[in-house]
Amino acid sequence: MTLIDELSATVGEGFAAAGLDVQFGRVKPADRPDLAQFQCNGALAAAKAAKQNPRQIAEKIVEALRNKPEFSELTIAGPGFINIKLTDDYLSERVEKLADSKNFGGWATPDPEKIVIDYGGPNVAKPLHVGHLRSAIIGESLKRIFRFVGETVIGDIHLGDWGLQMGQLITELEIRQPDLPYFEEGAAGPFPTQSPIKLSDLEEMYPAASAACKADPARAELARHATKALQEGRPGYRALWRHFVDLSIAAMKHDYDDLGVEFDLWKGEAAVDPLIPELTEDLTKRGVIEKSDGAQIIRVAREDDNKTVPPIIFINSKGAVGYHATDVATIVDRKREINPDRILYVVDARQQLHFEQVFRAVDKAGYFEEVRLEHLWFGTMNGKDGKPFKTREGGTLKLRNFLDMVTERAKQRLTDSGFAEGYGADETLEIARKVGMSALKFADLSNTRTSDYIFDIDRFMAFEGKTGPYLLYASVRVRSLLAKAEAAGAGAPGPIIISEPEERDLALLLLAFAETIRETHTRRMPHILCDHAFGLAQSFSKFYAACRIVDEADSAKRASRLSLVKATGGQLDIALSLLGIDVPERM
Ligand code: ARG
């Protein structure tokens, strides 16, 4: 139970004693932390319902709760708000339980589900670029948060490995190297197991191929032909496709590895292509698919729509299978292979209509309930000009170069601030990588998922303020403090006795963790967890400045404070790991 739930239940008893609904007992953190810790506004609503005076009701509730051991102060403010303060004994006991718990006061969902998270979504042959960052960072964090609360989660990268771009690449290679065995008419293989081109060739070929197809209709027609032949299973093209995919995956694994992002499944669009004929037949038979101008479509508009939701084109008039159909088939495939309760898509805001159409279509088809499909969209990372982040020359920046730039900045920062003194080159680089990554990830996640934000490396990298490096520093400081205590023979952490205001504030924050996790999970919003982690680090800092710890003379106080330090460190480290942030050994 979260602290808020527990307090609400107790205050609810007060309402019940006054013959009122327990629901009115809902407690929340105080709007004015200078006056109280929590407040309950239920007397106002109860008064309205019972047509009574709210202040009188509040007085009755306060009277009924007078002897509860958890409250040190219950006062009535304004028309009937109940202000609440907790006793130090109650806080101490609650925090002690937290310090002993495995998840440092986290929260577990009462009804865990099996969930697929679809995130990453890179396309074969296109190197990862900064546009892929947010899906990776947010998706990874949500995956970890969902696992932490007890859900079974399968992360699927859902590669873009099918469709026109593959035909464009095949055509491009055929023009460049027509004598390769893959292009021989009627060749059935086997084909060489070694790829005829390198990754760098592939990355160079992709923009060349798509530009050529844009410029020349005949070339585009060739690419369409090749795509069709590939989809129909022409062996030479299939073999080439495999090479392209393998080269790309190896490069992507490297990049995602550096980002600390890990997928359980590396499935792609191609994997569900074999399902399309069977689904087309089923959907046609049941009247879900209609024919329109030679295409096969599914209408998804609804009477109460306040915007136009166009039909999805399942198969176009040229017989090609597009993005919508692939996503429908992927849902069917996941249902068959994994049977999840829910599927989450961490894909940017521009695809909102796409997913709305797909979700409606599968619901209409009876394949998957719309309410169990969620598009968790996100805003754009912009440059200082307010437009999507680009290189100085206006090009898209490869993720690899971007991450190198961030690490370089972090190294500079560490050197300038003297943090790197006395560390060897390897360790300095390792710390710089972690500092850089923490700056990037925390900045991204601490912005509300659905908002755009401006990339400002200097601000993100600061060691003061609401930044990743500040949190890393806090975590490292806790660790070194505990090591120092041990080295000084300060004794073991012991029973918690709260008496100072800074201890009280820290205790309240530690106890808010469960509510934080629940909110983060319910709203699928990592920034809530970021706010908590930052608040905790700040509160720790104040506690550290105000209270003696290792050199506290009173051994009971010292043991209690060491427990607080340990609990803070444990909770902070959990929060950071849920955000996908790695902490260096020292810095
Ligand atoms: N590859 C797609 C793109 O680049 C993103 C895939 C997102 N996931 C999905 N199931 N549609 O736009």
Side-chain angles (χ1 to χ4, degrees):
M1 239 207 262
T2 71
L3 178 64
I4 291 275
D5 282 349
E6 197 169 297
L7 297 175
S8 299
T10 310
V11 176
E13 287 172 30
F15 278 88
L20 297 160
D21 196 319
V22 292
Q23 295 301 330
F24 291 124
R26 195 77 200 152
V27 160
K28 58 176 202 134
D31 293 334
R32 295 270 312 266
D34 51 327
L35 298 182
Q37 295 163 341
F38 297 91
Q39 69 184 61
C40 170
N41 302 348
L44 280 78
K48 219 177 195 170
K51 300 207 173 28
Q52 289 178 28
N53 178 319
R55 212 162 159 114
Q56 272 168 9
I57 290 190
E59 274 158 18
K60 265 195 249 172
I61 308 302
V62 166
E63 205 35 55
L65 297 174
R66 192 60 73 200
N67 294 321
K68 295 280 181 195
E70 44 275 67
F71 306 127
S72 64
E73 216 179 290
L74 292 163
T75 51
I76 302 169
F81 302 112
I82 302 173
N83 281 337
I84 300 167
K85 280 190 189 168
L86 306 178
T87 60
D88 287 340
D89 279 353
Y90 175 70
L91 275 179
S92 303
E93 187 193 309
R94 237 7 196 79
V95 176
E96 200 163 306
K97 253 193 236 154
L98 178 147
D100 284 338
S101 70
K102 213 169 68 224
N103 63 9
F104 291 99
W107 175 84
T109 174
D111 43 351
E113 293 182 327
K114 195 198 265 186
I115 295 174
V116 171
I117 302 194
D118 179 318
Y119 69 113
N123 297 322
V124 163
K126 276 203 233 178
L128 292 184
H129 54 83
V130 289
H132 290 105
L133 262 179
R134 294 211 76 189
S135 176
I137 292 175
I138 298 168
E140 181 69 22
S141 176
L142 287 174
K143 182 184 81 181
R144 293 176 183 211
I145 291 162
F146 275 68
R147 281 195 182 143
F148 182 65
V149 307
E151 320 262 27
T152 302
V153 187
I154 298 114
D156 184 5
I157 189 166
H158 197 71
L159 281 181
D161 59 358
W162 211 226
L164 202 54
Q165 84 259 28
M166 303 314 291
Q168 293 178 345
L169 280 169
I170 291 172
T171 310
E172 179 73 22
L173 188 60
E174 182 156 17
I175 289 169
R176 293 182 185 200
Q177 302 186 48
D179 296 333
L180 289 174
Y182 307 90
F183 301 119
E184 207 176 297
E185 199 65 47
F191 298 97
T193 48
Q194 196 71 24
S195 171
I197 58 167
K198 295 197 302 284
L199 177 71
S200 51
D201 302 322
L202 188 64
E203 291 184 350
E204 175 267 317
M205 269 167 57
Y206 182 82
S210 69
C213 290
K214 262 199 205 104
D216 177 4
R219 183 65 182 276
E221 189 52 35
L222 279 178
R224 258 195 300 279
H225 250 91
T227 310
K228 194 146 188 279
L230 170 71
Q231 299 192 340
E232 284 165 3
R234 179 168 160 166
Y237 286 7
R238 281 290 187 153
L240 266 183
W241 172 84
R242 190 71 256 166
H243 289 314
F244 296 164
V245 171
D246 289 344
L247 284 173
S248 282
I249 287 184
M252 287 170 185
K253 282 211 160 127
H254 194 97
D255 285 354
Y256 281 117
D257 214 42
D258 281 357
L259 267 180
V261 170
E262 217 186 312
F263 300 96
D264 304 296
L265 287 180
W266 280 78
K267 279 185 113 163
E269 299 177 350
V272 301
D273 189 65
L275 267 56
I276 300 285
E278 153 201 358
L279 293 181
T280 313
E281 194 190 320
D282 175 55
L283 292 169
T284 309
K285 208 165 63 199
R286 294 191 292 120
V288 181
I289 277 184
E290 296 168 41
K291 294 236 160 65
S292 169
D293 289 334
Q296 311 195 49
I297 64 164
I298 302 178
R299 290 188 198 282
V300 292
R302 288 174 185 165
E303 252 170 36
D304 54 351
D305 282 343
N306 50 16
K307 60 171 189 280
T308 324
V309 185
I312 71 170
I313 300 178
F314 202 75
I315 298 187
N316 76 11
S317 56
K318 295 217 163 78
V321 175
Y323 190 38
H324 284 114
T326 309
D327 262 325
V328 169
T330 302
I331 292 170
V332 173
D333 181 61
R334 285 175 179 156
K335 172 128 187 153
R336 287 180 189 171
E337 301 292 323
I338 301 170
N339 196 22
D341 299 299
R342 192 175 294 280
I343 306 178
L344 312 178
Y345 295 83
V346 185
V347 183
D348 78 86
R350 287 165 304 181
Q351 298 202 23
Q352 283 178 90
L353 179 63
H354 169 78
F355 284 110
E356 176 145 35
Q357 292 171 296
V358 169
F359 296 171
R360 287 184 182 195
V362 290
D363 192 292
K364 185 174 182 181
Y367 291 155
F368 213 94
E369 270 181 286
E370 199 180 342
V371 292
R372 297 181 168 277
L373 297 165
E374 301 177 30
H375 178 203
L376 306 179
W377 53 273
F378 51 83
T380 312
M381 180 177 99
N382 288 324
K384 288 201 173 134
D385 58 357
K387 301 204 188 85
F389 189 85
K390 292 259 161 41
T391 59
R392 218 166 278 165
E393 296 73 35
T396 39
L397 188 54
K398 278 193 196 179
L399 191 65
R400 177 137 307 278
N401 301 340
F402 178 74
L403 295 182
D404 286 347
M405 182 271 281
V406 170
T407 303
E408 199 42 54
R409 279 300 183 91
K411 218 162 91 187
Q412 196 60 49
R413 249 290 163 21
L414 288 170
T415 317
D416 292 349
S417 56
F419 274 119
E421 246 155 67
Y423 296 168
D426 284 355
E427 188 172 359
T428 304
L429 182 65
E430 186 56 24
I431 298 173
R433 282 198 26 178
K434 288 182 173 160
V435 166
M437 212 55 91
S438 78
L440 192 61
K441 289 186 176 180
F442 190 78
D444 193 289
L445 294 168
S446 60
N447 275 284
T448 310
R449 169 167 56 76
T450 44
S451 310
D452 297 344
Y453 72 93
I454 289 179
F455 181 76
D456 179 348
I457 188 73
D458 293 322
R459 196 163 61 80
F460 297 173
M461 204 75 90
F463 281 96
E464 285 303 324
K466 196 176 172 185
T467 68
Y470 172 74
L471 292 179
L472 287 192
Y473 184 63
S475 164
V476 169
R477 191 156 67 158
V478 168
R479 207 173 303 159
S480 74
L481 182 61
L482 289 170
K484 199 169 109 197
E486 198 171 313
I496 289 182
I497 326 155
I498 285 172
S499 58
E500 300 303 318
E502 291 80 9
E503 292 177 313
R504 212 167 283 133
D505 288 345
L506 183 59
L508 283 169
L509 259 169
L510 285 166
L511 291 172
F513 190 45
E515 198 63 34
T516 297
I517 294 288
R518 175 163 69 184
E519 274 286 298
T520 306
H521 172 264
T522 310
R523 296 177 48 203
R524 285 88 162 100
M525 289 286 193
H527 76 270
I528 300 170
L529 179 58
C530 291
D531 289 347
H532 176 82
F534 178 58
L536 186 65
Q538 273 185 315
S539 181
F540 177 76
S541 224
K542 287 187 191 138
F543 158 73
Y544 184 71
C547 301
R548 292 180 173 279
I549 302 172
V550 178
D551 55 2
E552 165 60 50
D554 180 333
S555 65
K557 268 193 188 165
R558 193 169 64 232
S560 161
R561 287 181 184 157
L562 284 173
S563 284
L564 278 176
V565 174
K566 212 174 135 213
T568 304
Q571 196 178 89
L572 193 57
D573 284 349
I574 288 184
L576 288 171
S577 93
L578 295 179
L579 299 170
I581 295 175
D582 284 338
V583 183
E585 279 303 312
R586 50 180 198 163
M587 64 189 253

